[in-house]
Amino acid sequence: MKAIEFKLLLKMFLFSVLLYGIHKFVFAQFLPINVEQKFVYSLELLYCFFFFSSVLILVILFAVNKKNINNVGFSFLFLTVAKMGTAFFFLQPILHSTETQIGIEKKNFLVIFLIFLAIETVVAVRILNNKQ
């Protein structure tokens, strides 16, 4: 792995930790104490799942970039759709839950998904713009 690729992954990790800290702080300040405990998936589990799936997608994109830069865009689209399908599968228990805080949990899931999708998109654009 090149130093540039490692730096991008390290930045993504640090940014993810920062966002997790902000997210946790907002929950601690603005939500009642026991609401987060009733979530189907904890905040930590969601961040870990989306972080590691994003790392996997980016590592695959780096590998595709080395072989053929023309396939990076298609690979990104395919991997993103696969991640969306997996996320939808994990979202099913939340959608079928009858808890009162379900609206908060749905929004929470969507926000975390969109944050990591934005990170992946920015890195994919950098890869495509950095034609070597």
Side-chain angles (χ1 to χ4, degrees):
M1 183 177 287
K2 292 182 187 177
I4 294 171
E5 296 166 356
F6 182 74
K7 282 175 118 177
L8 283 173
L9 291 175
L10 182 62
K11 285 180 184 179
M12 186 178 86
F13 174 74
L14 295 175
F15 188 65
S16 300
V17 169
L18 175 68
L19 287 175
Y20 167 74
I22 292 169
H23 205 150
K24 196 71 171 174
F25 176 76
V26 168
F27 270 26
Q29 294 299 316
F30 299 110
L31 289 180
I33 295 171
N34 60 351
V35 169
E36 189 180 353
Q37 295 171 351
K38 294 180 182 177
F39 282 178
V40 175
Y41 301 116
S42 68
L43 196 60
E44 294 81 11
L45 182 65
L46 289 176
Y47 268 91
C48 286
F49 168 72
F50 285 116
F51 174 75
F52 286 117
S53 63
S54 294
V55 167
L56 179 64
I57 288 174
L58 294 178
V59 167
I60 292 172
L61 289 179
F62 292 144
V64 168
N65 184 37
K66 288 179 184 175
K67 297 222 182 234
N68 187 357
I69 194 165
N70 295 329
N71 292 332
V72 171
F74 294 117
S75 300
F76 175 72
L77 288 174
F78 174 75
L79 293 168
T80 301
V81 168
K83 178 181 171 184
M84 289 172 70
T86 306
F88 184 73
F89 175 75
F90 283 116
L91 185 63
Q92 291 304 308
I94 297 172
L95 294 175
H96 299 302
S97 177
T98 58
E99 293 289 332
T100 56
Q101 85 291 347
I102 200 65
I104 296 170
E105 191 169 6
K106 286 178 187 176
K107 291 173 189 169
N108 182 51
F109 192 93
L110 180 65
V111 164
I112 296 170
F113 175 80
L114 292 175
I115 286 170
F116 282 96
L117 180 62
I119 292 170
E120 293 168 15
T121 304
V122 167
V123 174
V125 167
R126 285 186 180 183
I127 291 171
L128 289 170
N129 284 338
N130 191 17
K131 294 182 179 179
Q132 298 163 337

